[in-house]
Amino acid sequence: MKAIDYASKSPKEVRQAIRNKEWTGPTAGMAKGHVQANLVILPKDWAFDFLVFAQRNPKPCPVLDITEPGDPEPKLVARGADLRTDLPKYRVWERGELVDEPTDIISCWRDDLVAFLLGCSFTFESALLDAGIPVRHIECGCNVSMYITNIQCVPAGRLSGPMVVSMRPIPAHQVPKAVLSTGRFPAVHGSPIHIGEPSVIGIKDINRPDFGDPVPINQGEVPVFWACGVTPQAALMASKPPFAITHAPGHMFVCDPKDSDYAIF
């Protein structure tokens, strides 16, 4: 059977395949040229705290859309979509503990839940590829490497925690081009927050990511780190709200807008 080329599919077609459980893996490279988003869902009682947390930490938590309580449709970025079914894998949290990783959240949806969609660095990977810069996890067919750092986010209300970063190995001579290419997209993390030595930001072993998969760093390449939308999951672990739902790292929501819609030049 011929493999389906999801890179050339529309966002709606990708979401339908995910809703039908035809795809349950990471979404890097899917619907190429379209925005992807991280997901955080909290009870209405915690939603304002998270909104302020995101406002105070825009690098890891750039807000693209917020739903009304109990409404799973993200009307700004994907009208007609359903956040309960249109991501490949979710994480369900209770008091900071991961309790389940379902492929839909219909059974645990509640009328008081508010969903936040946050910009994802998968969005700017098309710009990297167009600039001739390799994206290793796409080459390897695996998930991006993500790490919890020693950089503390600015607290907000009951929420606090460390920043999470994603890492991509970049040939040293192409690092300036990678910085410029991704800096065009501040709504989806923008330019890197660190380049080079991982221990400076508290990463002890680059070959053992906290989320995602390890990828090889070849001779002449430099690890480059971007703020990551998994940061809220670290905040949930630290702050322990009674209930929350997120995407599983790397298993994003594919939005209708194009990457270029969020570019500043």
Side-chain angles (χ1 to χ4, degrees):
M1 176 181 286
K2 185 179 179 181
I4 297 174
D5 178 17
Y6 284 109
S8 64
K9 296 293 185 182
S10 71
K12 186 174 182 179
E13 289 172 325
V14 169
R15 293 194 300 266
Q16 189 63 51
I18 291 170
R19 187 181 299 187
N20 294 342
K21 307 293 192 289
E22 296 165 9
W23 182 266
T24 57
T27 54
M30 302 182 80
K32 187 176 184 292
H34 289 269
V35 171
Q36 297 198 24
N38 302 274
L39 176 68
V40 180
I41 301 173
L42 285 161
K44 183 179 179 181
D45 176 53
W46 281 73
F48 182 73
D49 283 9
F50 185 76
L51 180 61
V52 177
F53 182 83
Q55 189 273 334
R56 290 178 180 173
N57 299 279
K59 197 74 169 173
C61 302
V63 177
L64 302 181
D65 202 350
I66 306 172
T67 67
E68 298 288 342
D71 185 357
E73 181 185 1
K75 293 181 172 62
L76 292 182
V77 298
R79 187 168 289 277
D82 190 332
L83 293 174
R84 301 172 300 177
T85 58
D86 293 356
L87 285 77
K89 188 189 294 184
Y90 301 80
R91 285 184 154 190
V92 180
W93 305 82
E94 293 180 0
R95 303 197 178 281
E97 298 290 330
L98 178 62
V99 297
D100 196 10
E101 286 193 298
T103 55
D104 69 65
I105 52 170
I106 291 175
S107 64
C108 55
W109 186 256
R110 302 179 349 197
D111 289 340
D112 68 331
L113 294 179
V114 177
F116 295 81
L117 288 171
L118 310 176
C120 171
S121 60
F122 285 177
T123 299
F124 61 54
E125 289 177 345
S126 292
L128 291 175
L129 293 170
D130 289 343
I133 299 169
V135 179
R136 187 60 36 77
H137 59 276
I138 292 180
E139 292 177 348
C140 295
C142 64
N143 205 350
V144 68
S145 303
M146 293 163 273
Y147 306 84
I148 297 173
T149 71
N150 59 8
I151 303 168
Q152 290 299 310
C153 292
V154 180
R158 294 164 286 183
L159 289 170
S160 62
M163 185 184 295
V164 175
V165 294
S166 61
M167 187 280 294
R168 293 161 184 81
I170 306 293
H173 71 281
Q174 291 186 305
V175 168
K177 186 186 289 187
V179 173
L180 290 172
S181 295
T182 58
R184 296 173 54 222
F185 300 94
V188 290
H189 305 307
S191 57
I193 60 112
H194 181 65
I195 298 169
E197 179 54 50
S199 64
V200 173
I201 55 173
I203 298 171
K204 296 179 180 178
D205 188 348
I206 197 72
N207 296 311
R208 297 184 64 184
D210 296 294
F211 310 97
D213 300 312
V215 296
I217 300 175
N218 298 331
Q219 186 74 26
E221 293 182 335
V222 178
V224 181
F225 301 89
W226 282 265
C228 178
V230 175
T231 295
Q233 299 189 30
L236 295 178
M237 289 186 276
S239 307
K240 305 183 187 308
F243 182 77
I245 301 169
T246 66
H247 68 290
H251 299 68
M252 318 308 296
F253 180 75
V254 180
C255 306
D256 289 339
K258 293 182 177 180
D259 303 344
S260 57
D261 294 334
Y262 289 91
I264 58 173
F265 61 88

